[in-house]
Structures are given as structure tokens and as C-alpha cells.
Amino acid sequence: MNKMSLHGAALVLAIATGSSSAATLVLNNVDPPGVGFNDPTPAAPVGGNTGTTVGQQRLIAYQKALELWGKTLKSDARIVVRGSFARLSCTASGGTLAQAGAVQIFSDFPGAPLAGHWYGAALASTLAGQDLSPGPDDADADGINDEIVANFNGDVGKPDCIAGPGWYYGLDNNAGAQTDFLDTFMHEVAHGLGFQNFVSEATGNLIEGLPDVYMANTRDLTTGKKWNTMTSSEIVASAVRNNQVVWDGPVVTAAASRVLGPYEGLRVQLNATTRELEYGTASFGPPLSTSNFKGTIVLASDGVAAEGGGTVTDGCEPITANVAGKIALVDRGLCGFAVKAKNAQNAGATGIIIANTLGRTAFGMGGTDATITIPAAGISNADGDAIKAALPTASAEYYSDPSRRAGTTDGYVRLYAPTTVIGGSTLSHFDVSAAPNLLMEPSITPDLRSARNLDLTASLMRDIGWQLESFRVGSCNAGVPSTLADGQMLHADYAACVAGAGGSKGRTVNCMAKVTDRAVSAGLLSPLQKNAVMSCVGEGTR
């Protein structure tokens, strides 16, 4: 058996093969008195979180996430999460929300499904049927006897650290403009469950020359190779092969049609060639849609090359080109994205495309302006150059293709592979082209609902060897996976039904009957499985 200690790698959570009970995850709070989880600052209860101090709310939200994952997965092991709330790297405009990591990884342990492949400590222990990292919680300064380390930025929302409304500690995924802590922690735990690899995408170097179980499910469609069979140079080349690196696991592939909507994308007509574009969206204005983004593209000159690197096509001055009723193309740089969009709108454009000049990739656009009513897309410099070469006949349209699933290539779900490696993000997330947005995309978005649904995340866990826990109420085991193929968590639905019933047993039963009826209609439960679930619900209301 091989063993390697990791410091600042990826967090790991355990589930068990053939185990008979839900996973038990516990917090090892290492914050000092008065800080982080122990912060005594008064706080009003919010979104089902009854804590009356900031520290209490953090503990309650943290425990809720551990409970949700514990009822999703099987494990007879006790999983210790070493957690803290301390300032992480940040500035007023951005920074790190959280960091999570596995403390150790193992290969060739008893019962390992794949020989010569790394597994996170807790997963390896569960598969081995024994604790491979025994000892008391945080037995040494490095915490190597805890299975997981998960640290969160306690300064989020301060003027000098991701300035804004800060963390939302409610349990209902109703964060509004705040950053949802529950979604963030559910995301981080998923990395620990195995949503990560242990290879350097920048160099292709493997730890002690061994691949990992995540790499065994990662495929490059251009070469046809899986990552666990590639050379270092092949890994480096594949890591930036946008749209071509996918998850090859059968459970995720089968579940994609239940989770992902019809493919939607941006394409341009360049002379006789149609080209699909990767694009980023804006925090201002409406999103791109089939009804608001279609038309001829015009290079939007403003006639002024301002000092400081400006060009006549940067859109930073009032636009003089005739863009009325058309889509304006401008270059990135010099001024804010919202300024460019507002100048295009003032000139009559129906939409704006901003071509990258500061880097190679498509990009998202920050900024605020409530008066902007046109959609904006940020594209790579290569795509911008291709459009310019095809002017004046180039056109663009946002379109939907119901024969394809959003965020897929050739039927496989894409992994995040931007054309420049981003440490900690490249390959260890689903691609941003997925729609609806997924929990394991590189950014936490307001439309996530991890309090009730794990989308494709639990399916990926199954692909790398996890078993899902059964739906249980007390001692009653329905024998039905508590998390369905579309990511819906029946245990979370049951908790919500109980909370909403106000103590009425009949209302709880009626609520769960509606939940299971919808699941049967969607083909997620059979009638027999529904009956088994409802039998346990009935047991719980007696």
C-alpha cells in the first residue's frame, strides 16, 4: 500500500461499499475563542438558521451541509472535517471564498478497485474496510488524522475582501445578492468526495508517477485517450483543449438527459463557415436568449484612441459607427464592460460582443448599470479576430438545439478546460456551458439549490465507486436510494415536509405523497419504490 500526505490539496469525504448506514460527518472546530465558528457577534435568525450569533449560524449551516452529505452517502466510517473561518486571500474586488483538501491519499490498499491509482484517505478507508489514517482528531499540527480540511473566508463582505453583502447562512438557498454558504460548502465537500484529480495540469506531473481514480474517468475526445493512460506532455496539451475533455463515467452520462436542458449557444456565420463560440456572460443587462441576440455584426468604432492603451474600437467613447439594429463588436480594455455596453446601447445596438485582447479565452464581465437593456458576450481574441476577418458579412445568433444537452460534447458531460490552466479549477469542475448551472461549476451561482438537489454531483460520486444511502425514517429503511438520478434528495424533501407540516402527521404524509408522485411521473421512482418510501414516511408519523 502506498500513502502520501497532502497539504492544501483537495478535501475528501468517505462513503462505503456494502455498508449499511449513512455516513457520519463531524466538525473538528480549530478556531480560537471569539473567532470564526466561535464569533459572538449577534445575528438575527435567517432562512431556517436559528443561530443568534455569527458563530452559531456558521456552525448550524456547516452541520446542515455535513448532514445532507451524510444522508446521501453510505459509510460506516466516522469522517472528521477540520474546519475554520479565517481570512483567506482576497481584495475588495475578488478573492478566495473557501479552500478544501484531502489530508492524505492512498493507492493499492486492500480492496482498491483500481490498482496503481490514488484515492482520497476517507474513500480509501471505506473501500478498504478499515481506517487507513487512525488516531484522534487533529493528532498533530498538520491535522493528518482528520480526513478533511475545509477552511472558509471569514472576511467575505468586508470593504477590503470581496466587498458586498457577504455570506448568507440561511438553509433555504435564498441568498439573493449574498454568497450562499450552504452551496459553497456543499461544493467543497463534493471536491472531497472525489470531484478532483491529483495531477498538475500545468506540468502533467503525477504524484509518485501514479494517476488517480478521477483521471480514470476523464477522457480527451480529440485523442480518444483517458487521462490515466496519458503521458505528461499529453496531459498538458489536453488540459487546455476546451470542449474536448469530458467525464466518461456511465452514471453521469446516463443522468445528463435528466439534469441538463437543451443545448443553447452562440454561433456566428463567417462567410460560408458557421462557428460556435465559447462566451462569457455579464453581471449587467439581460442574459443572451434566442429572442434578443441575433443580427449582423458591426465593428463599433468610436473614433477615439484614448491615452493609456485605448483603440478606436474599444467602445469607451460614444460609438460613431452605424450599429443601430445590429450587434456591436468592440475590443476589451481601457474602460469597464458596462461602459462599453452602455455606449453600444446608446448607439442603437441590439447586443454587444466584447473580444478579448488581454488574454486568449472567453471571459465573464463584471460591472453594474441598471439602465443597460442589451445582452453582452465576452469572447476569445481568436474568435474576435475571425469575426473581424469576415466583416462586413458576419452575423451572430444565440440558438437552441433540443437534440443536444447543454454542457455536453458527443453525449458526454464536459469538464472545465479553459484555454489557459487555472490552478484548482481546471478539470476539477463541470464546464460553465452546462444549463441549468451545476453545483460543481467553478463559480457559485444564485440559482443553485443544494439544500434539495445535487444535480449531477452524486452521479459522479457513483462513477468513482461511492454507494448512495437508502431513504430512511428512523429504523425504517425503504431500500430506495435517497438521492435520485436527477440529484433530488428525498431526505431533504422529507425534512422540508416535516418542517412545513407544523406537527401535522397527515400534512407530512400528503406532502411526501406529492413529492413521490412527481418522481414517479418523471420516471425517477417506480410505483413499488414510491410505496416503500411512503411506508417509511408512514412509520415516521405514527
Short mmCIF file of all heavy atoms in Angstrom, two decimals, residues 147-194:
data_model
loop_
_atom_site.label_atom_id
_atom_site.label_comp_id
_atom_site.label_asym_id
_atom_site.label_seq_id
_atom_site.Cartn_x
_atom_site.Cartn_y
_atom_site.Cartn_z
N GLU A 147 -9.79 13.48 8.28
CA GLU A 147 -9.91 13.08 6.88
C GLU A 147 -9.97 14.27 5.93
O GLU A 147 -9.56 14.17 4.78
CB GLU A 147 -11.15 12.21 6.69
CG GLU A 147 -11.01 10.77 7.16
CD GLU A 147 -11.05 10.64 8.66
OE1 GLU A 147 -11.61 11.52 9.33
OE2 GLU A 147 -10.50 9.64 9.18
N ILE A 148 -10.52 15.38 6.40
CA ILE A 148 -10.81 16.52 5.53
C ILE A 148 -10.34 17.80 6.19
O ILE A 148 -10.43 17.93 7.42
CB ILE A 148 -12.34 16.64 5.28
CG1 ILE A 148 -12.88 15.37 4.62
CG2 ILE A 148 -12.67 17.87 4.44
CD1 ILE A 148 -14.40 15.30 4.62
N VAL A 149 -9.87 18.74 5.41
CA VAL A 149 -9.65 20.10 5.89
C VAL A 149 -10.48 21.03 5.02
O VAL A 149 -10.46 20.92 3.79
CB VAL A 149 -8.16 20.49 5.89
CG1 VAL A 149 -7.55 20.35 4.51
CG2 VAL A 149 -7.98 21.91 6.42
N ALA A 150 -11.26 21.91 5.63
CA ALA A 150 -12.12 22.82 4.87
C ALA A 150 -12.14 24.18 5.58
O ALA A 150 -12.70 24.31 6.66
CB ALA A 150 -13.54 22.26 4.77
N ASN A 151 -11.52 25.16 4.96
CA ASN A 151 -11.41 26.49 5.54
C ASN A 151 -12.20 27.49 4.72
O ASN A 151 -12.18 27.44 3.48
CB ASN A 151 -9.95 26.93 5.61
CG ASN A 151 -9.10 25.99 6.44
OD1 ASN A 151 -9.57 25.46 7.46
ND2 ASN A 151 -7.87 25.75 6.03
N PHE A 152 -12.87 28.43 5.40
CA PHE A 152 -13.71 29.42 4.74
C PHE A 152 -13.25 30.83 5.09
O PHE A 152 -12.71 31.07 6.17
CB PHE A 152 -15.18 29.20 5.12
CG PHE A 152 -15.71 27.92 4.58
CD1 PHE A 152 -15.50 26.72 5.25
CD2 PHE A 152 -16.38 27.88 3.38
CE1 PHE A 152 -15.95 25.52 4.74
CE2 PHE A 152 -16.84 26.69 2.85
CZ PHE A 152 -16.63 25.51 3.53
N ASN A 153 -13.49 31.72 4.16
CA ASN A 153 -13.03 33.10 4.31
C ASN A 153 -14.00 33.85 5.23
O ASN A 153 -15.12 34.16 4.84
CB ASN A 153 -12.94 33.78 2.95
CG ASN A 153 -12.17 35.07 2.99
OD1 ASN A 153 -12.13 35.74 4.02
ND2 ASN A 153 -11.57 35.44 1.87
N GLY A 154 -13.54 34.16 6.42
CA GLY A 154 -14.40 34.83 7.39
C GLY A 154 -14.57 36.31 7.16
O GLY A 154 -15.40 36.96 7.81
N ASP A 155 -13.80 36.88 6.23
CA ASP A 155 -13.86 38.32 5.99
C ASP A 155 -14.67 38.70 4.75
O ASP A 155 -14.73 39.87 4.38
CB ASP A 155 -12.45 38.89 5.84
CG ASP A 155 -11.75 39.04 7.18
OD1 ASP A 155 -12.39 38.76 8.21
OD2 ASP A 155 -10.57 39.43 7.20
N VAL A 156 -15.31 37.71 4.10
CA VAL A 156 -16.10 38.00 2.91
C VAL A 156 -17.16 39.05 3.24
O VAL A 156 -17.88 38.95 4.24
CB VAL A 156 -16.78 36.71 2.39
CG1 VAL A 156 -17.83 37.04 1.33
CG2 VAL A 156 -15.74 35.77 1.81
N GLY A 157 -17.24 40.07 2.39
CA GLY A 157 -18.21 41.15 2.59
C GLY A 157 -17.61 42.40 3.20
O GLY A 157 -18.24 43.46 3.15
N LYS A 158 -16.40 42.29 3.76
CA LYS A 158 -15.75 43.49 4.29
C LYS A 158 -15.26 44.36 3.13
O LYS A 158 -15.06 43.86 2.01
CB LYS A 158 -14.58 43.11 5.20
CG LYS A 158 -15.03 42.45 6.50
CD LYS A 158 -13.86 42.17 7.42
CE LYS A 158 -14.33 41.58 8.74
NZ LYS A 158 -13.21 41.30 9.67
N PRO A 159 -15.06 45.66 3.35
CA PRO A 159 -14.69 46.56 2.25
C PRO A 159 -13.43 46.14 1.49
O PRO A 159 -13.31 46.41 0.31
CB PRO A 159 -14.49 47.91 2.95
CG PRO A 159 -15.37 47.84 4.15
CD PRO A 159 -15.30 46.41 4.61
N ASP A 160 -12.52 45.45 2.18
CA ASP A 160 -11.27 45.06 1.52
C ASP A 160 -11.23 43.58 1.15
O ASP A 160 -10.17 43.06 0.80
CB ASP A 160 -10.08 45.39 2.43
CG ASP A 160 -10.09 44.60 3.73
OD1 ASP A 160 -11.16 44.04 4.07
OD2 ASP A 160 -9.05 44.55 4.40
N CYS A 161 -12.36 42.89 1.21
CA CYS A 161 -12.38 41.45 0.93
C CYS A 161 -13.70 41.05 0.27
O CYS A 161 -14.71 40.84 0.95
CB CYS A 161 -12.17 40.65 2.22
SG CYS A 161 -12.01 38.87 1.96
N ILE A 162 -13.69 40.96 -1.06
CA ILE A 162 -14.90 40.62 -1.82
C ILE A 162 -16.06 41.48 -1.31
O ILE A 162 -17.08 41.00 -0.81
CB ILE A 162 -15.24 39.12 -1.73
CG1 ILE A 162 -13.97 38.27 -1.92
CG2 ILE A 162 -16.28 38.73 -2.78
CD1 ILE A 162 -14.19 36.78 -1.80
N ALA A 163 -15.85 42.79 -1.42
CA ALA A 163 -16.78 43.76 -0.85
C ALA A 163 -18.21 43.51 -1.32
O ALA A 163 -18.45 43.22 -2.49
CB ALA A 163 -16.34 45.17 -1.23
N GLY A 164 -19.14 43.61 -0.39
CA GLY A 164 -20.54 43.38 -0.73
C GLY A 164 -21.31 42.90 0.47
O GLY A 164 -20.89 43.08 1.62
N PRO A 165 -22.43 42.24 0.23
CA PRO A 165 -23.31 41.83 1.34
C PRO A 165 -22.82 40.63 2.13
O PRO A 165 -23.41 40.28 3.15
CB PRO A 165 -24.64 41.54 0.64
CG PRO A 165 -24.26 41.17 -0.76
CD PRO A 165 -23.06 42.00 -1.08
N GLY A 166 -21.76 39.94 1.68
CA GLY A 166 -21.16 38.87 2.47
C GLY A 166 -21.90 37.54 2.42
O GLY A 166 -22.71 37.28 1.54
N TRP A 167 -21.59 36.67 3.39
CA TRP A 167 -22.14 35.33 3.44
C TRP A 167 -23.62 35.32 3.83
O TRP A 167 -24.05 36.13 4.64
CB TRP A 167 -21.40 34.49 4.47
CG TRP A 167 -20.00 34.07 4.13
CD1 TRP A 167 -18.85 34.49 4.73
CD2 TRP A 167 -19.61 33.11 3.14
NE1 TRP A 167 -17.77 33.87 4.17
CE2 TRP A 167 -18.20 33.01 3.20
CE3 TRP A 167 -20.29 32.32 2.22
CZ2 TRP A 167 -17.47 32.16 2.36
CZ3 TRP A 167 -19.57 31.48 1.39
CH2 TRP A 167 -18.18 31.40 1.46
N TYR A 168 -24.33 34.37 3.26
CA TYR A 168 -25.70 34.08 3.67
C TYR A 168 -25.69 32.72 4.35
O TYR A 168 -25.29 31.71 3.76
CB TYR A 168 -26.63 34.05 2.46
CG TYR A 168 -28.07 33.67 2.77
CD1 TYR A 168 -28.92 34.57 3.38
CD2 TYR A 168 -28.57 32.41 2.42
CE1 TYR A 168 -30.24 34.23 3.67
CE2 TYR A 168 -29.88 32.07 2.69
CZ TYR A 168 -30.71 32.98 3.31
OH TYR A 168 -32.02 32.65 3.59
N TYR A 169 -26.13 32.67 5.62
CA TYR A 169 -26.08 31.43 6.38
C TYR A 169 -27.45 30.74 6.49
O TYR A 169 -27.58 29.76 7.22
CB TYR A 169 -25.53 31.71 7.78
CG TYR A 169 -24.11 32.22 7.76
CD1 TYR A 169 -23.80 33.52 8.15
CD2 TYR A 169 -23.07 31.41 7.31
CE1 TYR A 169 -22.49 33.99 8.11
CE2 TYR A 169 -21.76 31.87 7.26
CZ TYR A 169 -21.48 33.16 7.66
OH TYR A 169 -20.19 33.63 7.61
N GLY A 170 -28.44 31.23 5.74
CA GLY A 170 -29.72 30.54 5.71
C GLY A 170 -29.59 29.16 5.10
O GLY A 170 -28.66 28.87 4.35
N LEU A 171 -30.56 28.30 5.39
CA LEU A 171 -30.54 26.90 4.94
C LEU A 171 -31.50 26.65 3.79
O LEU A 171 -31.75 25.49 3.44
CB LEU A 171 -30.90 25.99 6.12
CG LEU A 171 -30.14 26.25 7.42
CD1 LEU A 171 -30.61 25.29 8.51
CD2 LEU A 171 -28.64 26.16 7.22
N ASP A 172 -32.02 27.73 3.19
CA ASP A 172 -33.08 27.60 2.19
C ASP A 172 -32.65 28.00 0.79
O ASP A 172 -33.49 28.11 -0.12
CB ASP A 172 -34.29 28.43 2.61
CG ASP A 172 -33.93 29.91 2.82
OD1 ASP A 172 -32.74 30.28 2.68
OD2 ASP A 172 -34.85 30.70 3.12
N ASN A 173 -31.35 28.21 0.55
CA ASN A 173 -30.85 28.63 -0.76
C ASN A 173 -31.57 29.87 -1.28
O ASN A 173 -31.87 30.01 -2.47
CB ASN A 173 -30.98 27.51 -1.80
CG ASN A 173 -30.02 26.36 -1.55
OD1 ASN A 173 -30.37 25.21 -1.76
ND2 ASN A 173 -28.81 26.65 -1.09
N ASN A 174 -31.82 30.81 -0.40
CA ASN A 174 -32.50 32.06 -0.75
C ASN A 174 -31.57 33.23 -0.44
O ASN A 174 -31.93 34.17 0.26
CB ASN A 174 -33.82 32.18 0.01
CG ASN A 174 -34.69 33.30 -0.51
OD1 ASN A 174 -34.60 33.69 -1.67
ND2 ASN A 174 -35.54 33.83 0.36
N ALA A 175 -30.37 33.19 -1.02
CA ALA A 175 -29.30 34.12 -0.64
C ALA A 175 -29.45 35.50 -1.25
O ALA A 175 -28.86 36.46 -0.75
CB ALA A 175 -27.95 33.54 -1.03
N GLY A 176 -30.20 35.63 -2.34
CA GLY A 176 -30.30 36.93 -3.00
C GLY A 176 -28.94 37.40 -3.47
O GLY A 176 -28.22 36.67 -4.14
N ALA A 177 -28.55 38.61 -3.09
CA ALA A 177 -27.27 39.17 -3.52
C ALA A 177 -26.10 38.65 -2.69
O ALA A 177 -24.93 38.89 -3.04
CB ALA A 177 -27.32 40.69 -3.44
N GLN A 178 -26.36 37.96 -1.59
CA GLN A 178 -25.29 37.43 -0.76
C GLN A 178 -24.71 36.15 -1.36
O GLN A 178 -25.24 35.59 -2.32
CB GLN A 178 -25.81 37.16 0.65
CG GLN A 178 -26.18 38.41 1.43
CD GLN A 178 -26.73 38.07 2.81
OE1 GLN A 178 -27.89 37.71 2.95
NE2 GLN A 178 -25.88 38.20 3.82
N THR A 179 -23.60 35.68 -0.79
CA THR A 179 -22.98 34.43 -1.21
C THR A 179 -23.50 33.30 -0.33
O THR A 179 -23.35 33.34 0.89
CB THR A 179 -21.45 34.52 -1.11
OG1 THR A 179 -20.98 35.58 -1.92
CG2 THR A 179 -20.80 33.22 -1.55
N ASP A 180 -24.11 32.30 -0.94
CA ASP A 180 -24.75 31.23 -0.20
C ASP A 180 -23.69 30.29 0.39
O ASP A 180 -22.99 29.59 -0.33
CB ASP A 180 -25.68 30.45 -1.12
CG ASP A 180 -26.66 29.58 -0.35
OD1 ASP A 180 -26.20 28.76 0.45
OD2 ASP A 180 -27.88 29.72 -0.57
N PHE A 181 -23.59 30.29 1.72
CA PHE A 181 -22.60 29.44 2.37
C PHE A 181 -22.92 27.97 2.19
O PHE A 181 -22.02 27.15 1.97
CB PHE A 181 -22.50 29.77 3.86
CG PHE A 181 -21.60 28.81 4.60
CD1 PHE A 181 -20.23 28.91 4.46
CD2 PHE A 181 -22.11 27.80 5.40
CE1 PHE A 181 -19.38 28.02 5.11
CE2 PHE A 181 -21.28 26.91 6.04
CZ PHE A 181 -19.92 27.02 5.91
N LEU A 182 -24.18 27.59 2.28
CA LEU A 182 -24.54 26.18 2.15
C LEU A 182 -24.12 25.64 0.79
O LEU A 182 -23.52 24.57 0.69
CB LEU A 182 -26.04 25.99 2.37
CG LEU A 182 -26.52 24.53 2.39
CD1 LEU A 182 -25.92 23.77 3.55
CD2 LEU A 182 -28.04 24.47 2.44
N ASP A 183 -24.42 26.38 -0.28
CA ASP A 183 -23.99 25.95 -1.61
C ASP A 183 -22.47 25.84 -1.68
O ASP A 183 -21.93 24.89 -2.27
CB ASP A 183 -24.47 26.95 -2.68
CG ASP A 183 -25.93 26.78 -3.06
OD1 ASP A 183 -26.48 25.68 -2.84
OD2 ASP A 183 -26.52 27.74 -3.57
N THR A 184 -21.79 26.82 -1.10
CA THR A 184 -20.33 26.83 -1.16
C THR A 184 -19.74 25.62 -0.46
O THR A 184 -18.84 24.94 -0.97
CB THR A 184 -19.77 28.12 -0.53
OG1 THR A 184 -20.34 29.26 -1.18
CG2 THR A 184 -18.26 28.18 -0.66
N PHE A 185 -20.28 25.30 0.73
CA PHE A 185 -19.73 24.16 1.45
C PHE A 185 -20.12 22.84 0.81
O PHE A 185 -19.32 21.90 0.76
CB PHE A 185 -20.15 24.20 2.92
CG PHE A 185 -19.46 23.16 3.75
CD1 PHE A 185 -18.10 22.97 3.63
CD2 PHE A 185 -20.16 22.37 4.64
CE1 PHE A 185 -17.43 22.00 4.39
CE2 PHE A 185 -19.51 21.41 5.40
CZ PHE A 185 -18.14 21.22 5.27
N MET A 186 -21.34 22.73 0.29
CA MET A 186 -21.72 21.51 -0.43
C MET A 186 -20.79 21.29 -1.61
O MET A 186 -20.40 20.15 -1.92
CB MET A 186 -23.18 21.61 -0.89
CG MET A 186 -24.21 21.63 0.23
SD MET A 186 -24.28 20.10 1.19
CE MET A 186 -25.18 19.04 0.02
N HIS A 187 -20.41 22.36 -2.29
CA HIS A 187 -19.46 22.31 -3.39
C HIS A 187 -18.10 21.80 -2.90
O HIS A 187 -17.50 20.90 -3.50
CB HIS A 187 -19.34 23.72 -3.99
CG HIS A 187 -18.30 23.87 -5.05
ND1 HIS A 187 -18.62 24.04 -6.38
CD2 HIS A 187 -16.94 23.93 -5.00
CE1 HIS A 187 -17.52 24.17 -7.09
NE2 HIS A 187 -16.48 24.11 -6.27
N GLU A 188 -17.62 22.37 -1.79
CA GLU A 188 -16.30 21.98 -1.29
C GLU A 188 -16.28 20.53 -0.83
O GLU A 188 -15.31 19.80 -1.07
CB GLU A 188 -15.89 22.91 -0.15
CG GLU A 188 -15.70 24.37 -0.55
CD GLU A 188 -14.65 24.57 -1.62
OE1 GLU A 188 -13.71 23.74 -1.72
OE2 GLU A 188 -14.76 25.55 -2.37
N VAL A 189 -17.34 20.09 -0.18
CA VAL A 189 -17.41 18.69 0.24
C VAL A 189 -17.36 17.77 -0.99
O VAL A 189 -16.72 16.72 -0.97
CB VAL A 189 -18.67 18.41 1.07
CG1 VAL A 189 -18.84 16.91 1.31
CG2 VAL A 189 -18.57 19.12 2.41
N ALA A 190 -18.02 18.18 -2.06
CA ALA A 190 -18.01 17.36 -3.28
C ALA A 190 -16.60 17.17 -3.80
O ALA A 190 -16.25 16.10 -4.32
CB ALA A 190 -18.91 17.98 -4.34
N HIS A 191 -15.76 18.21 -3.71
CA HIS A 191 -14.36 18.02 -4.09
C HIS A 191 -13.74 16.92 -3.25
O HIS A 191 -13.01 16.06 -3.75
CB HIS A 191 -13.58 19.32 -3.91
CG HIS A 191 -13.78 20.32 -5.01
ND1 HIS A 191 -13.64 20.00 -6.34
CD2 HIS A 191 -14.09 21.64 -4.97
CE1 HIS A 191 -13.88 21.07 -7.07
NE2 HIS A 191 -14.15 22.07 -6.26
N GLY A 192 -14.05 16.93 -1.96
CA GLY A 192 -13.51 15.90 -1.10
C GLY A 192 -14.05 14.52 -1.41
O GLY A 192 -13.36 13.53 -1.23
N LEU A 193 -15.27 14.47 -1.87
CA LEU A 193 -15.85 13.19 -2.24
C LEU A 193 -15.18 12.58 -3.45
O LEU A 193 -15.34 11.40 -3.73
CB LEU A 193 -17.34 13.36 -2.55
CG LEU A 193 -18.25 13.70 -1.37
CD1 LEU A 193 -19.62 14.11 -1.87
CD2 LEU A 193 -18.33 12.53 -0.42
N GLY A 194 -14.42 13.37 -4.16
CA GLY A 194 -13.69 12.84 -5.30
C GLY A 194 -13.80 13.67 -6.54
O GLY A 194 -13.31 13.27 -7.60
#
